[in-house]
Amino acid sequence: MATALNQLMKAAEDWKYSYVITLDQDSVSTPGMVSELVSHIDMKTGIVSPQIVDRNMVDISNWDSCRDNKVYEVHQAARKGIITSGALTSIEAWKHVGGFDDSFFIDYVDYDFNKRLLLEGYRLIRTGRTILIHECGNMQATPLVVLRRSQNNKWHFERFYSFGHSPFRCYYKARNRILFSKKYAGIAGPMQFEGAIQIIPQIILTLLFEKNRKEKFKSFIRGIIDGCKQHVDKYVVMNNECE
């Protein structure tokens, strides 16, 4: 995915475009989405994202009622971070931070990109004035209700949904979270381990609520081992203030 995204961004640059909107094959943009995203761009903004609505969690026939109509600045790369689908991305910002990192493959490609944008002083914006209908895995509701912090930093109880990812995906979920934490160790403050600390909860929730548990657990373990073994260059901040 990272390689394809880099090729896409380079082609757009060659064609003299300044921004690119990326969409997954299962994502559906709602009326007016592009205009709303474009209205928030400026030189200090690396990405503008719509509010994401998962079709497994809500009745998409009533998608318009899901909008919170608020605009947020996203300060964390991974926890409620901006995903690739629906993202309006600045080509200049993409160039400045070195593009997408091929070594991540599938999982955390977008969160790694978010992290570098934040470290280089770019803003990440999410607007709840528009919606992208999306699908994250094969999510299913579970009996578990968890306390989570919303985008506006308020705590609330929320139904937990299992992801239903394949063993193949579970491997990269673990491996890439390790690589992420190793890449930013020592330079990202208290959030430098925001990738690795998610692995254990992911494993526990997978074992509790998903099928094919044995294969998924083995994939998680292989991912952790390979992530610990694999060399990753630590990121060096080039410029804390984007031009």
Side-chain angles (χ1 to χ4, degrees):
M1 180 184 291
T3 300
L5 287 169
N6 285 329
Q7 291 175 346
L8 175 66
M9 299 296 286
K10 182 61 171 63
E13 180 187 26
D14 291 343
W15 295 333
K16 309 302 181 184
Y17 287 99
S18 300
Y19 292 85
V20 172
I21 294 180
T22 48
L23 292 164
D24 286 358
Q25 80 284 355
D26 56 357
S27 297
V28 179
S29 58
T30 55
M33 189 187 84
V34 176
S35 297
E36 171 61 21
L37 298 180
V38 169
S39 71
H40 295 281
I41 62 176
D42 59 43
M43 293 299 292
K44 292 186 177 181
T45 299
I47 302 176
V48 183
S49 168
Q51 181 181 339
I52 306 297
V53 171
D54 195 296
R55 57 171 54 88
N56 292 310
M57 300 174 67
V58 300
D59 178 7
I60 61 171
S61 65
N62 194 30
W63 63 265
D64 195 51
S65 66
C66 298
R67 288 193 291 190
D68 65 14
N69 291 306
K70 297 179 181 178
V71 178
Y72 303 97
E73 187 165 346
V74 177
H75 296 288
Q76 292 180 214
R79 192 192 72 83
K80 295 187 180 296
I82 290 177
I83 65 172
T84 302
S85 190
L88 175 68
T89 303
S90 161
I91 293 176
E92 184 61 36
W94 165 79
K95 287 179 60 179
H96 182 79
V97 302
F100 295 91
D101 189 337
D102 292 301
S103 66
F104 279 81
F105 186 62
I106 300 180
D107 219 69
Y108 262 57
V109 171
D110 39 17
Y111 294 161
D112 169 72
F113 185 60
N114 290 347
K115 176 64 82 173
R116 283 178 282 130
L117 288 171
L118 290 170
L119 289 172
E120 296 298 337
Y122 286 96
R123 295 193 306 159
L124 307 182
I125 301 296
R126 177 180 287 118
T127 170
R129 296 172 183 166
T130 189
I131 293 287
L132 178 79
I133 300 170
H134 184 63
E135 186 172 29
C136 182
N138 184 24
M139 298 181 75
Q140 300 289 330
T142 74
L144 181 64
V145 176
V146 294
L147 186 63
R148 306 186 78 171
R149 184 180 292 174
S150 63
Q151 193 65 53
N152 61 6
N153 285 321
K154 292 182 178 180
W155 289 95
H156 67 287
F157 286 100
E158 183 177 297
R159 177 73 60 187
F160 174 76
Y161 283 73
S162 62
F163 288 106
H165 286 141
S166 67
F168 179 80
R169 179 70 180 270
C170 289
Y171 169 83
Y172 286 103
K173 286 170 72 173
R175 191 203 71 156
N176 292 357
R177 281 167 169 77
I178 296 291
L179 296 183
F180 181 90
S181 293
K182 289 168 65 174
K183 183 173 180 177
Y184 300 106
I187 62 171
M191 296 312 300
Q192 61 184 303
F193 299 115
E194 64 177 324
I197 61 176
Q198 297 171 349
I199 297 174
I200 298 302
Q202 289 266 341
I203 293 175
I204 293 172
L205 293 169
T206 297
L207 295 178
L208 284 176
F209 299 113
E210 298 192 13
K211 299 177 181 179
N212 200 10
R213 297 178 181 89
K214 183 178 180 180
E215 289 303 314
K216 291 180 180 181
F217 179 71
K218 289 165 61 176
S219 294
F220 274 120
I221 298 303
R222 287 194 299 107
I224 292 171
I225 293 171
D226 288 352
C228 290
K229 288 181 178 180
Q230 184 171 329
H231 172 76
V232 58
D233 292 327
K234 289 188 176 181
Y235 186 71
V236 178
V237 178
M238 295 172 285
N239 177 16
N240 282 323
E241 293 295 331
C242 54
E243 298 178 358

